[in-house]
Amino acid sequence: MNSRKAQQLLSGDEAIAYGAYDAGVRIATAYPGTPSTEILETFSQLPDVYAEWCPNEKVAFEVAIGSSLAGARTMVSMKHVGLNVAADPFFTASYVGVGGGLLVVSADDPGMHSSQNEQDNRHYAVAAKIPMLEPSDSQEAYEFARLAVEISETYDTPCLLRITTRVAHSKTVVVRRPPERKGRRPVSGFQKNPPKYVMVPIFARQRHEEVEKRLERLLDYSESTPVNVAERGSRKLGIIASGVAYAYAKEVCPEASFLKIGMSHPLPAAKIRTFARGLAKIVVVEELDPFLEMQIRALGIPVEGKSLFPACGELTPDLVLQGLRRATGSASRRTSSDDRDRRALPPRPPALCPGCPHSATFYTIKKLKLDVMGDIGCYTLSVAPPLETMDACVCMGASIGMAHGMERALRDRTDRRCVAVIGDSTFVHSGITALLNVAYNKGRSTTVIVDNRTTAMTGLQDHPGTGRTLQGDASPAVDFEALGRALGIDSVRTVDPYNLKELEAALQEEIEAPRSSLIIARRPCLLLRKGERPPPRAVDPETCVGCGLCLRIGCPALSGREGGKARIDPLLCNGCPICGQVCKVGAIHEFRNP
Amino acid sequence: MDCWNIFLVGVGGQGVLVASEMLALGFLRAGYDVKKSEVHGMAQRGGAVSSHLRCGPLVHSPLIAEGEADLLIAFESLEALRWLSFLKKDGILLVNRQEIKPTTVTSGRMQYPEDICGQLSSRHRTVHVVDGLALARAAGNPRSINSALLGAASRFLPVPERIWKRVIREAFPDKVVEVNLRAFALGKKASPLAG
């Protein structure tokens, strides 16, 4: 009964938070990561819950395991690459099982709207032998979150809920159902059971046997669950799809027969065979990898899939329509010539904010012509013109290890000068062990922590370096200087990136010195500022010589033409001291109203 | 009940997503099924922002296919030009004539296109140009552009005004509700500017 009043427009992330809550989850952990961040943020606002940002996804997962073993229903959420970080506990959690239900959310990013790859995390469910649900919109995200908690407890396994950006960040109509139980569930407490929870080989071998038997029981469930549902339509074309791909296919080809897969591991083999009977042609509409397609082919059912749809990038209704047209031999739509016109227009990429301390840091690094082993955060934007000052970025925390490896390989040469640049949140996430390695293995590399006192790119979340918890309570802040020294780094110093001379001198000295160095370039993110904006700067057109040096900072408030005067937009300018120091003729001063 | 595909585009910080949210809630309250999709994160960093909004008796895809939008609401001129191909041939383009230079232009590397409104009118049949900033200022706050554009768009949409007013009241803190209601009214009354 959908009364209009009960309808809410929710994102998939929000719906999952509510679904977990209505299923009795009261503890949740995560590390921020687009498109999953809002799951924990939404959950943390609900009554009587405990939510924490952990330093990284591995820790978040392990905290969730502990909570689950204590009998509490728990959720841990992350983006797709976050599951790489949590993979170690993820795989063995499958053997260990659960106490209270354990909901694991993986939010993948086909099209890489904000990620370094577009890996397809459905493979993880198969590899770890963990059941998986794939919702196709927010109502299903809500329902499947609740279902995942039930499956987890009924079958004694973590349960993976796999979404993508277009489910996580699309808002669709949701009607919530009353929770199974009013108020708080009692937490049963930890029951000692070493053969189940201590994974030494003699016990783990038993547990693996259990896991295989469990998979067979889950297969029976998958065959009968209503979340895998056949929709009768034309016998000429059958479409098998999961997640948002189902929604696109249903939109462009509603007349086809559909097998909508909601539980995509284990796949309901018998149901698929039944569906396939009597259909002239079967197409698997799938984004990224032929995950469903390969398993369906292995059942002996001839299907088309990746030959029709791209392996790269996200699917769109257009791409689905084109693929289906090719499959059925229909004429394809006129290809758009507008693509060429669109590419001729000036792009509008995201940029570092006017006055961002990272601009100062990277401008200075560029001056020194260093090779930058970079990392993930707002500062990754320094790869874009005009700064173009990042040379490698692979995964969270990789900068420090890469710089050390490079330094070791090139130690006998004097021509290459490499530096690791990492943000404060990224450093806490996975930079500490890498920095320890530099000290322990007697490296000579230089690491710069660009410390802006927050996890900025994902929306200004707190972390162990900020001195505040998710709830905003005061908490011990990691002292990076003391930590560097405790790890054994030879030279540890702190500079203000806004002081370009100080930063340049520190970098120059540390790059040349044959010792391990840590430079903490500390200046808070401008978006953290409360209160009045400082007065903007202005360029004195009489003094400006049109050299264009200030334009190389990449500040959105600064504009200029070749050979012409520079200009500062007072509405965008945040009144920082960067361009004033860069200008060699003193043409930049505080804005004065005419 | 017809289907409405509305594509909103603009620059981070202009209030595109708030406008999209208001439109979505308006259609929802008017009895439509609604799906809305956007990519987050550009609000602070000045990048391009776009939001797909689909309304109808039963909506499946959250994304609008290229060439299928009934209404393109562009908060900024360059973005109107960039996304024009999303409109149906007989779709309506509602464009705010504001020009915000991207960093690729301010750094001197590329040129901002000239006479965008002229280009738009020559490539598309139904173009309504509004001066969103002037309307917002007349209402009392330059940040009420999104309500002004909502008002302008409301002329084409099958949702009664009382629903839009209710949505505005709920979307904004009390002290700016009146400004936004005024902006909505001014946008609704505004006659299209010469292209």
Side-chain angles (χ1 to χ4, degrees):
Chain A
M1 177 185 60
N2 275 6
S3 99
R4 213 178 304 154
K5 280 208 167 70
Q7 292 182 333
Q8 297 179 81
L9 207 57
L10 297 178
S11 68
D13 279 357
E14 291 168 327
I16 288 171
Y18 291 125
Y21 186 84
D22 290 347
V25 170
R26 288 297 180 274
I27 298 183
T29 62
Y31 177 80
T34 308
S36 70
T37 311
E38 290 88 340
I39 297 171
L40 193 72
E41 287 185 334
T42 304
F43 183 83
S44 70
Q45 304 288 323
L46 298 174
D48 195 31
V49 302
Y50 177 70
E52 66 177 37
W53 292 126
C54 297
N56 64 39
E57 292 87 347
K58 176 184 195 286
V59 174
F61 202 106
E62 289 151 356
V63 172
I65 291 175
S67 163
S68 163
L69 296 197
R73 290 183 171 172
T74 312
M75 171 173 67
V76 57
S77 53
M78 61 204 74
K79 65 183 292 170
H80 56 337
V81 287
L83 189 46
N84 296 341
V85 180
D88 201 0
F90 179 74
F91 275 86
T92 308
S94 174
Y95 283 31
V96 156
V98 301
L102 177 54
L103 165 58
V104 182
V105 187
S106 172
D108 295 7
D109 191 15
M112 293 176 270
H113 296 281
S114 34
S115 305
Q116 64 270 35
N117 74 30
E118 52 183 2
Q119 64 186 61
D120 188 332
N121 272 12
R122 294 178 296 170
H123 299 295
Y124 267 113
V126 173
K129 303 169 192 287
I130 279 177
M132 168 172 59
L133 301 174
E134 283 192 77
S136 66
D137 63 20
S138 301
Q139 181 70 49
E140 286 190 353
Y142 171 79
E143 292 295 347
F144 290 10
R146 290 186 69 152
L147 182 60
V149 174
E150 278 174 43
I151 290 174
S152 175
E153 284 189 7
T154 308
Y155 294 89
D156 187 20
T157 170
C159 187
L160 182 63
L161 184 65
R162 187 262 188 172
I163 59 175
T164 56
T165 301
R166 293 297 179 187
V167 173
H169 285 169
S170 290
K171 289 199 173 187
T172 76
V173 176
V174 175
V175 175
R176 285 165 80 174
R177 286 185 291 115
E180 251 95 44
R181 167 197 287 266
K182 275 199 164 99
R184 211 171 222 291
R185 281 180 84 251
V187 172
S188 54
F190 177 60
Q191 324 286 336
K192 279 181 191 280
N193 192 350
K196 186 171 186 283
Y197 297 134
V198 181
M199 290 301 95
V200 286
I202 188 168
F203 294 152
R205 285 185 201 116
Q206 273 301 110
R207 290 303 299 167
H208 186 193
E209 303 275 352
E210 243 335 285
V211 166
E212 297 298 334
K213 291 196 198 110
R214 178 181 79 201
L215 259 185
E216 287 170 26
R217 293 197 295 273
L218 282 164
L219 179 56
D220 288 338
Y221 174 77
S222 184
E223 297 288 4
S224 62
T225 171
V227 306
N228 292 327
V229 54
E231 298 163 3
R232 294 187 132 273
S234 160
R235 303 315 281 164
K236 292 206 204 117
L237 175 63
I239 294 176
I240 305 179
S242 66
V244 77
Y246 164 81
Y248 300 149
K250 193 78 180 175
E251 182 73 46
V252 302
C253 195
E255 66 277 9
S257 290
F258 276 84
L259 179 59
K260 181 185 184 304
I261 298 288
M263 183 163 189
S264 42
H265 187 256
L267 278 179
K271 201 164 212 167
I272 294 171
R273 284 205 175 89
T274 307
F275 174 75
R277 264 187 242 128
L279 290 172
K281 192 182 245 308
I282 304 169
V283 173
V284 180
V285 177
E286 197 162 28
E287 199 165 45
L288 296 179
D289 295 347
F291 173 81
L292 298 176
E293 181 186 345
M294 290 190 312
Q295 293 181 76
I296 295 171
R297 276 181 199 271
L299 295 174
I301 301 168
V303 294
E304 273 185 84
K306 255 333 117 177
S307 59
L308 302 169
F309 309 106
C312 297
E314 66 169 345
L315 274 187
T316 61
D318 244 318
L319 286 170
V320 174
L321 183 59
Q322 285 173 37
L324 289 174
R325 281 210 159 115
R326 272 203 300 281
T328 54
S330 332
S332 68
R333 249 153 71 109
R334 50 133 187 94
T335 45
S336 178
S337 65
D338 292 301
D339 243 14
R340 239 182 310 123
D341 297 330
R342 189 179 300 155
R343 268 183 248 130
L345 297 175
R348 191 187 299 275
L352 293 173
C353 302
C356 174
H358 298 327
S359 308
T361 309
F362 283 90
Y363 179 85
T364 307
I365 288 175
K366 181 172 185 156
K367 244 180 112 182
L368 296 175
K369 297 188 169 43
L370 303 173
D371 295 328
V372 179
M373 300 296 107
D375 227 299
I376 295 178
C378 278
Y379 49 98
T380 323
L381 291 171
S382 66
V383 72
L387 281 171
E388 290 173 302
T389 308
M390 188 168 286
D391 297 293
C393 175
V394 174
C395 64
M396 292 286 283
S399 53
I400 302 178
M402 290 195 292
H404 172 70
M406 188 165 282
E407 185 271 308
R408 294 277 8 182
L410 300 175
R411 181 167 282 195
D412 300 328
R413 295 165 59 153
T414 51
D415 56 332
R416 289 323 228 156
R417 303 191 311 166
C418 149
V419 67
V421 182
I422 187 169
D424 46 327
S425 189
T426 319
F427 175 71
V428 169
H429 180 286
S430 41
I432 300 175
T433 40
L435 191 62
L436 173 61
N437 183 53
V438 174
Y440 172 67
N441 279 310
K442 300 196 263 194
R444 297 178 188 168
S445 59
T446 300
T447 299
V448 179
I449 297 179
V450 282
D451 182 3
N452 62 356
R453 319 302 299 135
T454 186
T455 314
M457 196 46 136
T458 41
L460 306 172
Q461 290 81 26
D462 284 297
H463 63 69
T466 67
R468 278 181 313 275
T469 63
L470 182 154
Q471 292 78 7
D473 300 326
S475 128
V478 173
D479 179 339
F480 292 139
E481 286 85 345
L483 178 58
R485 289 189 185 103
L487 294 177
I489 297 295
D490 298 321
S491 164
V492 178
R493 57 207 290 184
T494 303
V495 299
D496 177 359
Y498 272 179
N499 185 335
L500 300 186
K501 281 204 172 76
E502 181 190 32
L503 175 59
E504 183 172 344
L507 271 167
Q508 189 73 62
E509 184 183 332
E510 296 304 336
I511 292 291
E512 274 160 20
R515 62 183 181 214
S516 61
S517 321
L518 175 64
I519 300 174
I520 297 150
R522 174 174 295 129
R523 168 71 46 184
C525 170
L526 291 184
L527 301 177
L528 292 173
R529 179 186 58 219
K530 299 185 157 75
E532 288 249 336
R533 195 194 255 208
R537 305 290 174 155
V539 176
D540 178 2
E542 309 281 305
T543 320
C544 174
V545 297
C547 69
L549 206 56
C550 59
L551 297 178
R552 298 201 210 150
I553 300 167
C555 177
L558 262 164
S559 59
R561 290 250 195 94
E562 271 217 40
K565 313 279 185 184
R567 201 200 148 250
I568 295 175
D569 184 341
L571 293 177
L572 291 179
C573 176
N574 278 315
C576 84
I578 301 175
C579 58
Q581 292 172 72
V582 166
C583 178
K584 293 205 162 110
V585 300
I588 297 178
H589 55 79
E590 209 171 277
F591 183 80
R592 293 164 212 130
N593 260 313
Chain B
M1 180 187 280
D2 285 331
C3 290
W4 275 87
N5 294 331
I6 303 173
F7 195 38
L8 294 95
V9 299
V11 179
Q14 286 192 292
V16 176
L17 300 189
V18 173
S20 179
E21 185 80 8
M22 291 196 285
L23 277 165
L25 289 173
F27 273 92
L28 186 67
R29 301 255 166 80
Y32 287 72
D33 183 26
V34 170
K35 283 192 179 172
K36 174 163 89 87
S37 191
E38 56 228 6
V39 172
H40 294 175
M42 296 305 118
Q44 300 294 350
R45 290 168 193 82
V49 173
S50 59
S51 180
H52 301 245
L53 178 60
R54 307 196 61 236
C55 316
L58 181 64
V59 177
H60 292 291
S61 165
L63 292 183
I64 302 169
E66 198 157 338
E68 292 294 317
D70 300 289
L71 172 62
L72 172 58
I73 304 177
F75 279 56
E76 194 274 344
S77 297
L78 172 56
E79 298 310 307
L81 201 53
R82 196 191 312 279
W83 298 106
L84 190 58
S85 62
F86 262 76
L87 260 183
K88 286 179 173 152
K89 281 213 162 58
D90 57 352
I92 301 165
L93 170 60
L94 175 64
V95 51
N96 176 24
R97 67 179 349 185
Q98 196 172 350
E99 294 185 352
I100 302 177
K101 311 281 192 293
T103 51
T104 45
V105 169
T106 55
S107 61
R109 292 196 316 279
M110 293 183 81
Q111 303 264 53
Y112 196 89
E114 308 238 315
D115 186 26
I116 291 187
C117 288
Q119 287 191 54
L120 292 170
S121 299
S122 71
R123 285 171 57 179
H124 193 77
R125 199 179 310 149
T126 318
V127 180
H128 295 268
V129 182
V130 287
D131 190 334
L133 201 48
L135 293 171
R137 285 198 173 114
N141 188 329
R143 299 194 28 213
S144 62
I145 286 183
N146 46 13
S147 297
L149 291 178
L150 180 64
S154 69
R155 287 173 293 173
F156 314 112
L157 302 177
V159 175
E161 180 163 323
R162 61 178 165 77
I163 288 186
W164 293 128
K165 285 186 164 157
R166 187 175 143 213
V167 163
I168 289 174
R169 283 207 169 85
E170 291 169 4
F172 294 101
D174 290 340
K175 55 186 176 151
V176 293
V177 163
E178 283 311 309
V179 168
N180 280 285
L181 285 171
R182 264 201 303 277
F184 177 88
L186 289 171
K188 186 166 179 183
K189 267 204 330 255
S191 45
L193 303 171

